[in-house]
Amino acid sequence: MSQTTTVRRELYDIYESNIESARIQFEQKSNFEEILSLDIDPTVLELYLINFNSLGVAMTDSVEDWISRAGESCKKLGFTELGELLSTHAEQEAGHHLMMIQDTHTLVNNWNARRQPQLDAEWFLAQPISENVVLYRQLHEDVIASQTPFAQVAIEYEIEMLSVRYGSQLIQQCQKILGSQVHEGLSFMEEHVSVDVGHTQLNARLLKNFLQNNPEHLDAMVKIGRTALDAYAGFLNDCLTRAKEYAKTLG
Ligand SMILES: [Fe+2]
Ligand SMILES: [Fe+2]
């Protein structure tokens, strides 16, 4: 084994072990266990999905723009190769929020075909974004404007990995609790469970290579990865809180 390979592995391993506690905290803060519980109220789960997609539009509609601008900032600082790879990844994220808008409509139509009171998809799509969504959006702007724009890779790595780690479990849970027809409103989730496997492998490669050449930025990567996980967990928790609040109004 060459010395270079050893160094690369060590830095990536240090990243992995330093971020681990944030991944564990993510599970607690997002209340994911409650979502996966067999005791979950089906109405709350259905409203959770509607909120995940409608509130999620503001989490995804700028992803292409964020990654591409982070790539430009990297190029300006001389990280040309990483900047170009980020530009390529940006294109792969174009328009993903449109799936969330579509899924919001499909889930609401599905509800309206079965039960009362009737829901309004536009109401959910127009609801004010939550504080955690604001934080998540601001985090990207801060990273792009900072001297460490390459930390965008840590955001992508941690957030896209969530689809790989939890996506299938969540889809299975929805089908178990809500029935197989729910599948029609899960296009964003289903697409991401499959494509984010490749995106996560790409992110891992970018992170490893970057840390090998720039070990002094390890802490910045971990810090931004942690902040992204924290904000995303907050977003998921906001979806659950809003679902429960709405369910209460149904009596
Ligand atoms: Fe995406
Ligand atoms: Fe992706």
Side-chain angles (χ1 to χ4, degrees):
M1 188 186 288
S2 72
Q3 201 187 348
T4 314
T5 313
T6 312
V7 170
R8 181 188 301 177
R9 283 216 175 119
E10 276 175 13
L11 285 161
Y12 176 69
D13 288 348
I14 296 169
Y15 174 90
E16 286 288 301
S17 73
N18 288 1
I19 199 94
E20 185 57 25
S21 61
R23 290 180 185 157
I24 293 166
Q25 280 160 20
F26 169 85
E27 295 204 4
Q28 289 151 0
K29 184 169 176 180
S30 63
N31 269 316
F32 210 67
E33 213 172 295
E34 191 175 335
I35 296 297
L36 294 184
S37 158
L38 288 175
D39 298 331
I40 189 159
D41 176 351
T43 300
V44 169
L45 183 60
E46 198 164 352
L47 290 166
Y48 177 78
L49 292 178
I50 293 169
N51 275 286
F52 171 80
N53 283 290
S54 53
L55 198 53
V57 173
M59 298 287 281
T60 48
D61 62 358
S62 304
V63 170
E64 180 189 13
D65 182 57
W66 288 330
I67 303 178
S68 126
R69 282 161 59 218
E72 289 306 314
S73 300
C74 285
K75 286 181 208 165
K76 275 185 205 144
L77 291 176
F79 301 100
T80 314
E81 196 190 342
L82 181 65
E84 273 160 16
L85 289 165
L86 283 172
S87 302
T88 308
H89 189 176
E91 289 166 22
Q92 295 168 342
E93 296 297 334
H96 284 191
H97 65 292
L98 299 176
M99 284 187 258
M100 296 191 117
I101 296 173
Q102 181 59 48
D103 286 350
T104 304
H105 283 283
T106 306
L107 289 161
V108 166
N109 289 342
N110 208 320
W111 169 297
N112 288 342
R114 288 178 295 114
R115 54 189 297 181
Q116 293 289 341
Q118 299 283 286
L119 304 181
D120 178 3
E122 294 302 338
W123 183 89
F124 285 98
L125 288 164
Q127 59 181 327
I129 62 175
S130 69
E131 198 183 320
N132 286 295
V133 178
V134 174
L135 285 174
Y136 188 75
R137 294 177 66 87
Q138 190 59 47
L139 170 67
H140 287 81
E141 295 300 338
D142 292 346
V143 166
I144 291 163
S146 76
Q147 288 302 301
T148 59
F150 37 77
Q152 177 69 36
V153 174
I155 304 180
E156 293 308 314
Y157 183 47
E158 296 306 322
I159 302 306
E160 297 192 290
M161 194 194 295
L162 296 175
S163 312
V164 180
R165 286 164 69 202
Y166 301 110
S168 297
Q169 289 178 72
L170 182 55
I171 290 169
Q172 279 172 25
Q173 168 74 344
C174 293
Q175 295 196 328
K176 201 184 298 170
I177 304 289
L178 300 173
S180 56
Q181 90 289 340
V182 75
H183 148 85
E184 295 159 12
L186 302 182
S187 71
F188 176 90
M189 275 187 209
E190 289 184 350
E191 164 98 1
H192 282 78
V193 165
S194 91
V195 297
D196 278 348
V197 173
H199 293 178
T200 298
Q201 285 165 351
L202 168 74
N203 294 328
R205 215 163 49 240
L206 295 185
L207 190 64
K208 277 181 196 175
N209 289 341
F210 183 84
L211 290 175
Q212 178 203 356
N213 295 322
N214 306 277
E216 70 277 19
H217 292 307
L218 173 70
D219 288 347
M221 287 291 199
V222 173
K223 180 170 169 265
I224 298 300
R226 295 182 77 94
T227 311
L229 278 172
D230 194 54
Y232 203 94
F235 155 67
L236 291 180
N237 191 40
D238 293 340
C239 295
L240 182 58
T241 305
R242 288 189 181 196
K244 285 178 177 170
E245 280 168 4
Y246 200 96
K248 267 191 221 152
T249 68
L250 300 174

